[in-house]
Amino acid sequence: MIAQPQVAAKFENDYVLYEIGADGQNLRFADKAAGADYSKKGPCAMVRKGGKHIPASAVSYADGKLTLTFADAGATAVVKVAVQKHCILFEVESVAGDGVDQFIFPHIPLTLKATGDEPFTACALAFNLKTNVPEIPGPSSFLHAFAYERLGFQGAQAAVVACPQTDLRNVLKEVIAAAPDVPHSAIGGPCAPDGPINYGSYLFNFTDLTEATVGDWIAMCKRLGVTQIDFHGGRSFRFGDFEPDPKLYPKGKASLKAVIDKLHEAGIAAGLHTYAQFISPASPYVTPVPHPDLGKEITLTLAEALDEKAATVPVEEATKDMSALVGFFVRGSVTLQIDNELITFKAVSQAPPYGFTECKRGAHGTKAAPHAKGAKVHRLRGCFNLLVADGESPLYTEVAAKTAEIYNDCGFDMIYLDALDGSDAVAGREWSWYYGAKFTWEICKRLKRPALMEMSTFGHHLWYVRARMGAWDHPNRSHKKFVDIHCESNERWQRSFLPTNLGWWAFKTWTGPQGEPTYPDDIEYLCAKAIANDASLSIMGIDPTTVGKVPALPRLAEIMRRYENLRNANYFNGDVKAKLHAPGDEFALGQSPEGEWQFRRVEYARHKVQGLDEWGSVWKTENRFGRQPVKLRIETLYSVAPYDAPDNIVLADFADPKDFPDRITQKGIAVGIEPSTAQVKVGDRSGYFKASNTTDTPVRAWAKAGKTFDPPLNLSKHDAIGVWVHGDGKGEVLNLQWLSPQHMSHACGDHYITVDFTGWRYVELVEVEGERHADYSWPYGNIYSVYREAVRMNAVEQINLYYNNVPAKGEATCYLSPIKAIPLVKTKLRNPAITIGGKTIRFPVEIETGSCIEFNSPADCKLYGPKGELISEVKPEGEAPVIEPGANEVKFTCESDGPARPRAYVWVITEGETVRGKNPDAKKVEAP
């Protein structure tokens, strides 16, 4: 007979029963009403010593206190437990044991999946800054909290909440309201759904929102249907001390408040957009005398006396691990402090004699001065080209106080703590959660009214005051795919009760091969998904000045206005929203003859034409809807100079078998690349690129061979790749990728070739891939590197050859000619024509690179320029093709000049059924 474990402690409230065994193991974590036990086997607590986590070995309970023993660590801990109606509160009284630097209690793994649709749910809450919980409050599968020696074990507090799923938000509101040490927000955390302001959309003011221009900004808001304006710091006000720009606001805060008062009169909220705890070098905390509390990353010793003109700062200590590299993605600064002088440097001598070279003396408005040998040389902390205070200093708190002061004095309604993701610059990555939370909470202590708070990072402690989630930087390509990924991510935050945002968006025009314009259907896609998810929008790059300079903006703004008015009115019912929600499904907004707003299903099927040969200009498109006259868009792309031009740059000629030494693969995949004469198209050899797959699936079947250029190549006039590929027709994906140094750009410059052909084919690779990235698994890349960032073509450091989708239990092989970097060529497509079903329609125009033609019907055909400007109305020639249901063959032809092959995007546009359904409680909608 198996002995039952001895129960050492039992805690029970209205919803949950939690039992701990005398051996320190979790025994039960049960829903009292249903009797279901959700506990997993494991220790109820752990300590960390010497980098290892050691479980509790024994537990006893008496007089409201748990005593925990960790025999293998030589440690003990005492925790006070208070059972409340809807939570169990744990407070650390003591932790004893040499070398223990972390204490985890509670530590309760659960069988719950935390999907948000289970009948019972649970989460842990940190009740002060001494306690950390990794998970955001909301449904969780692991209840644990961390206390630290550095912060002081005593007094660390955490609560465990467990209840029916439907009660979670109300229980969290109740429990948090009774917690004295966490900030409370009437429109943040569990209260966020209650704040109407959290659903509003906003514009960005980067430049000139003043008393003189505020009327124009109000009109701009009405034009877009938005109700908020975000004042981005750096121009409106200085980071650190928050002094308003006197050129914009001559009376300082009084002038800024006057502008915000005008916005409030028009029903528009104002947002304070800061760079969190960071300090401008132009602030009085830095110049003319540096504040003593500026953060110091490292302190060295001046090796010899320094006069006021010396351009080198010699130090006694080794500097071999230091770098002068700075950039948006690099933490640190290039600023030194010696006495009251600041010095910036451009290089570091990493061998004796050690020191900093190419120095600018008296930097940031300080005074150059002589310094004695042995003086302290401090390298200041910072990032984003800004500095930061010591996280434990009064100055750190003062910057938070200044943030609250300008918010209160000027009447702001929102705070966006941008750059809070740089909190690791304060004391390292391990403590970024703490200093980001500390700064935010110090602001909240001083606010005189609730703020719609957002941040550029997220952590447990920020949730208590966060009012909205999901502001991402805008994509520069593959816009609809990016929107789908963004919507999927936002669904997670809805489980934590946070309204979501689908910004920061931008209305884009033609910029070249690493970006794509946002056409009207892109904006409709974005706005339809916003309605489906009741997500607000935030728009960059449009203001009263730019709207008159960029012709595309008024057209795109009008689309957004219609959608936003309908979203704000809650016009559509749940059935319509459910249809709009489906990823990939596209809709166009319109009105019925009776004036009712409705949607029509649409599909924009895009194909890239590359040359006028059979494989480049003939393709199949699928019509999911009924028989209909076709609609089209044709956009002219850059062409590519000839492959054999003498000034092309050879990136790889495959002469050296070791030319691609960086070889990595997914498990089960092998890769090889070597010179070969078996198949040769150009020169006397080819590169034989092969991969084998021993797994049962082509999914995640990737392999890489890469090479590095030192120094990086300047390809700023050679933006295209030209290569002959001998394919095996097995459908694998060949990816030619180039990268810039990481401190300059995180962009993934991917170019895909689907090897669905046999024999030789010439391929020109220009546009950076984004749309299909998520179709495959890659060992790199994030949402920004794939969809937003740009490779610095003046500094290409790596070229990588990837295979993906390698056949299961098989191999993929191809031969490559020398890979060349080739110049782009602006071009014109003359008299482009489309043939479908034996009918051809021709457009008697010239379409220059970056321009496009939009054909909706023979009576509605327009040619637009690169900025969306209307160039001309076009009268097509021939009969408009009709597209049948199912697969249709499409052929593109045109006339072009010179040897460069014509390249274009062609969209075949089809329409389906109508989707309608008005919410009976909808507010009145402004007339179109």
Side-chain angles (χ1 to χ4, degrees):
M1 183 174 181
I2 300 174
Q4 294 299 311
Q6 180 182 352
V7 177
K10 178 178 178 180
F11 308 109
E12 184 176 2
N13 65 15
D14 284 4
Y15 292 128
V16 70
L17 170 66
Y18 175 41
E19 293 180 345
I20 304 172
D23 59 356
Q25 295 290 305
N26 294 307
L27 298 181
R28 292 184 71 197
F29 192 89
D31 172 1
K32 285 180 60 179
D37 181 11
Y38 296 105
S39 66
K40 280 185 178 179
K41 298 300 181 183
C44 69
M46 303 182 81
V47 294
R48 186 175 69 182
K49 180 177 180 178
K52 296 181 178 180
H53 285 98
I54 299 166
S57 55
V59 170
S60 62
Y61 181 66
D63 301 325
K65 296 180 182 181
L66 278 167
T67 300
L68 301 109
T69 301
F70 304 86
D72 291 344
T76 59
V78 178
V79 177
K80 293 187 288 187
V81 184
V83 177
Q84 300 180 358
K85 185 177 180 180
H86 292 149
C87 78
I88 304 171
L89 181 62
F90 303 96
E91 180 177 351
V92 179
E93 184 173 281
S94 65
V95 176
D98 292 342
V100 172
D101 63 359
Q102 188 184 91
F103 175 45
I104 309 174
F105 191 88
H107 182 273
I108 313 171
L110 301 174
T111 60
L112 292 169
K113 297 179 180 179
T115 56
D117 57 359
E118 296 168 296
F120 197 72
T121 192
C123 68
L125 300 170
F127 267 15
N128 55 30
L129 283 176
K130 285 191 169 188
T131 317
N132 187 27
V133 172
E135 290 77 22
I136 305 299
S140 178
S141 59
F142 205 159
L143 311 179
H144 52 166
F146 295 73
Y148 304 88
E149 180 190 28
R150 172 176 171 166
L151 304 177
F153 289 121
Q154 186 177 9
Q157 279 192 342
V160 165
V161 167
C163 63
Q165 186 86 233
T166 53
D167 294 348
L168 181 60
R169 187 164 85 95
N170 287 331
V171 168
L172 289 174
K173 289 167 72 172
E174 168 202 316
V175 170
I176 291 168
D181 295 331
V182 301
H184 303 135
S185 171
I187 56 172
C191 299
D194 303 328
I197 189 174
N198 298 341
Y199 299 89
S201 296
Y202 58 97
L203 299 180
F204 284 84
N205 161 42
F206 287 99
T207 53
D208 63 349
L209 177 44
T210 65
E211 291 181 84
T213 63
V214 64
D216 296 333
W217 278 89
I218 291 170
M220 185 80 253
C221 288
K222 302 297 184 185
R223 189 171 189 174
L224 284 162
V226 305
T227 57
Q228 301 166 3
I229 296 177
D230 178 275
F231 286 71
H232 197 289
R235 179 72 192 279
S236 297
F237 52 86
R238 190 165 53 210
F239 296 130
D241 65 328
F242 292 89
E243 186 65 25
D245 185 339
K247 294 179 181 178
L248 299 176
Y249 308 107
K251 296 179 182 178
K253 290 181 183 176
S255 295
L256 183 52
K257 184 178 186 303
V259 172
I260 293 173
D261 287 344
K262 288 287 187 182
L263 295 178
H264 287 165
E265 290 173 9
I268 298 168
L272 176 70
H273 191 117
T274 81
Y275 261 34
Q277 63 269 70
F278 292 98
I279 298 171
S280 168
S283 80
Y285 298 132
V286 179
T287 182
V289 177
H291 195 287
D293 289 346
L294 290 176
K296 280 91 175 169
E297 182 177 4
I298 191 169
T299 297
L300 306 171
T301 307
L302 192 61
E304 58 186 64
L306 204 66
D307 66 28
E308 64 271 23
K309 295 182 179 179
T312 296
V313 176
V315 294
E316 294 180 359
E317 296 83 1
T319 56
K320 64 179 181 179
D321 295 326
M322 297 185 189
S323 171
L325 289 178
V326 293
F328 192 82
F329 301 104
V330 180
R331 300 294 185 258
S333 79
V334 290
T335 302
L336 305 175
Q337 181 178 350
I338 309 177
D339 301 325
N340 285 329
E341 181 187 357
L342 297 183
I343 302 167
T344 57
F345 60 91
K346 291 186 177 179
V348 183
S349 176
Q350 297 184 330
Y354 297 113
F356 302 88
T357 61
E358 299 180 54
C359 294
K360 177 184 177 182
R361 302 296 299 277
H364 304 315
T366 61
K367 185 177 180 179
H371 305 285
K373 178 181 178 180
K376 298 302 182 185
V377 180
H378 308 286
R379 184 173 184 175
L380 298 185
R381 290 186 176 274
C383 66
F384 310 122
N385 299 315
L386 302 168
L387 301 176
V388 68
D390 184 304
E392 297 301 325
S393 70
L395 179 58
Y396 196 76
T397 303
E398 184 175 336
V399 175
K402 286 286 186 181
T403 309
E405 181 181 293
I406 192 173
Y407 179 89
N408 293 329
D409 292 352
C410 295
F412 282 102
D413 309 284
M414 312 184 297
I415 298 176
Y416 193 101
L417 294 177
D418 209 344
L420 199 68
D421 54 312
S423 295
D424 56 311
V426 179
R429 187 165 298 279
E430 181 181 3
W431 298 104
S432 60
W433 70 268
Y434 173 76
Y435 287 103
K438 176 181 177 180
F439 185 79
T440 304
W441 285 21
E442 290 292 340
I443 294 171
C444 294
K445 289 178 185 178
R446 295 165 172 82
L447 297 180
K448 295 180 179 178
R449 62 188 178 283
L452 189 170
M453 293 200 76
E454 297 179 87
M455 308 88 177
S456 59
T457 187
F458 200 20
H460 183 94
H461 297 80
L462 303 177
W463 174 83
Y464 293 97
V465 296
R466 185 149 199 160
R468 181 163 58 191
M469 190 67 190
W472 290 4
D473 285 311
H474 63 78
N476 285 313
R477 50 190 168 269
S478 306
H479 307 294
K480 293 172 185 175
K481 187 67 174 180
F482 184 93
V483 171
D484 284 342
I485 295 171
H486 197 167
C487 288
E488 182 181 8
S489 173
N490 279 355
E491 289 180 8
R492 159 69 181 89
W493 307 119
Q494 293 167 357
R495 295 198 294 273
S496 290
F497 313 112
L498 295 179
T500 56
N501 185 271
L502 279 178
W504 303 325
W505 199 259
F507 299 145
K508 308 292 290 187
T509 55
W510 170 265
T511 57
Q514 296 200 60
E516 297 175 359
T518 47
Y519 287 110
D521 53 293
D522 295 307
I523 304 305
E524 291 215 64
Y525 194 85
L526 169 72
C527 293
K529 300 309 180 190
I531 286 177
N533 295 280
D534 199 12
S536 57
L537 300 172
S538 41
I539 309 297
M540 292 180 133
I542 185 168
D543 55 48
T545 300
T546 58
V547 75
K549 293 181 178 179
V550 182
L553 294 188
R555 288 189 296 130
L556 301 179
E558 177 57 25
I559 295 171
M560 180 177 165
R561 183 189 68 84
R562 290 196 296 267
Y563 273 85
E564 277 295 280
N565 286 341
L566 292 166
R567 184 181 71 85
N568 289 328
N570 194 23
Y571 185 90
F572 294 104
N573 64 26
D575 290 341
V576 174
K577 290 181 179 181
K579 290 182 173 66
L580 299 180
H581 186 274
D585 283 2
E586 302 182 59
F587 299 85
L589 181 65
Q591 285 183 288
S592 69
E594 299 76 29
E596 181 181 350
W597 290 100
Q598 60 188 20
F599 288 99
R600 180 176 290 276
R601 289 189 180 274
V602 293
E603 184 161 343
Y604 285 75
R606 188 179 74 171
H607 175 80
K608 185 186 292 184
V609 171
Q610 301 199 81
L612 298 179
D613 50 22
E614 183 176 352
W615 75 269
S617 62
V618 180
W619 69 98
K620 292 287 183 68
T621 190
E622 188 78 15
N623 175 16
R624 297 191 299 146
F625 310 121
R627 186 174 190 270
Q628 59 190 284
V630 73
K631 296 182 178 182
L632 300 164
R633 178 190 296 135
I634 302 171
E635 175 194 299
T636 302
L637 303 173
Y638 277 109
S639 289
V640 180
Y643 176 79
D644 56 1
D647 60 345
N648 293 339
I649 298 173
V650 177
L651 302 176
D653 63 5
F654 305 106
D656 184 352
K658 301 179 181 179
D659 199 26
F660 284 80
D662 184 9
R663 313 265 177 110
I664 59 172
T665 68
Q666 176 61 278
K667 185 177 181 180
I669 313 299
V671 64
I673 187 168
E674 60 190 39
S676 174
T677 58
Q679 294 286 347
V680 177
K681 183 68 177 179
V682 177
D684 57 6
R685 75 182 71 85
S686 298
Y688 178 53
F689 190 32
K690 58 184 177 180
S692 60
N693 180 2
T694 62
T695 74
D696 295 326
T697 174
V699 177
R700 296 180 60 82
W702 58 262
K704 168 196 167 183
K707 65 183 295 187
T708 299
F709 302 104
D710 186 13
L713 301 178
N714 183 353
L715 302 181
S716 56
K717 295 183 179 179
H718 295 77
D719 294 66
I721 297 173
V723 62
W724 284 90
V725 179
H726 188 282
D728 61 4
K730 294 182 179 180
E732 70 272 23
V733 173
L734 177 63
N735 177 9
L736 276 68
Q737 177 196 67
W738 45 30
L739 304 174
S740 294
Q742 286 288 292
H743 72 278
M744 298 178 67
S745 170
H746 283 185
C748 301
D750 288 1
H751 304 85
Y752 293 178
I753 304 166
T754 302
V755 187
D756 55 0
F757 57 91
T758 58
W760 286 105
R761 180 171 292 180
Y762 180 58
V763 180
E764 295 166 334
L765 303 171
V766 182
E767 291 74 28
V768 173
E769 181 70 44
E771 186 69 28
R772 293 183 292 164
H773 179 270
D775 294 345
Y776 307 100
S777 173
W778 303 102
Y780 61 83
N782 58 43
I783 193 71
Y784 288 165
S785 64
V786 174
Y787 297 96
R788 173 175 170 79
E789 305 297 339
V791 174
R792 305 293 178 90
M793 295 306 298
N794 63 345
V796 174
E797 184 178 53
Q798 295 178 55
I799 180 170
N800 298 314
L801 302 181
Y802 277 95
Y803 261 136
N804 212 320
N805 204 43
V806 178
K809 299 289 186 179
E811 65 177 17
T813 61
C814 66
Y815 296 86
L816 305 175
S817 72
I819 302 171
K820 298 183 181 182
I822 305 177
L824 297 175
V825 179
K826 281 193 172 182
T827 189
K828 296 179 181 179
L829 302 184
R830 297 198 317 273
N831 303 322
I834 295 290
T835 301
I836 301 174
K839 295 180 179 179
T840 299
I841 187 164
R842 182 175 290 102
F843 304 99
V845 293
E846 291 184 341
I847 313 176
E848 295 186 348
T849 296
S851 299
C852 76
I853 194 165
E854 298 265 6
F855 169 73
N856 292 311
S857 71
D860 182 6
C861 184
K862 297 178 175 65
L863 176 64
Y864 293 101
K867 291 189 178 296
E869 67 275 23
L870 178 63
I871 296 175
S872 65
E873 301 278 351
V874 179
K875 186 173 179 58
E877 298 174 348
E879 186 177 354
V882 171
I883 189 165
E884 301 291 343
N888 291 257
E889 184 176 273
V890 184
K891 182 177 182 179
F892 172 88
T893 57
C894 72
E895 302 166 24
S896 61
D897 298 322
R901 302 194 307 170
R903 300 177 69 256
Y905 278 133
V906 177
W907 285 260
V908 175
I909 307 163
T910 51
E911 297 182 345
E913 71 275 16
T914 297
V915 175
R916 66 175 69 181
K918 185 176 180 180
N919 178 4
D921 299 323
K923 300 175 185 176
K924 184 178 180 181
V925 179
E926 177 184 341

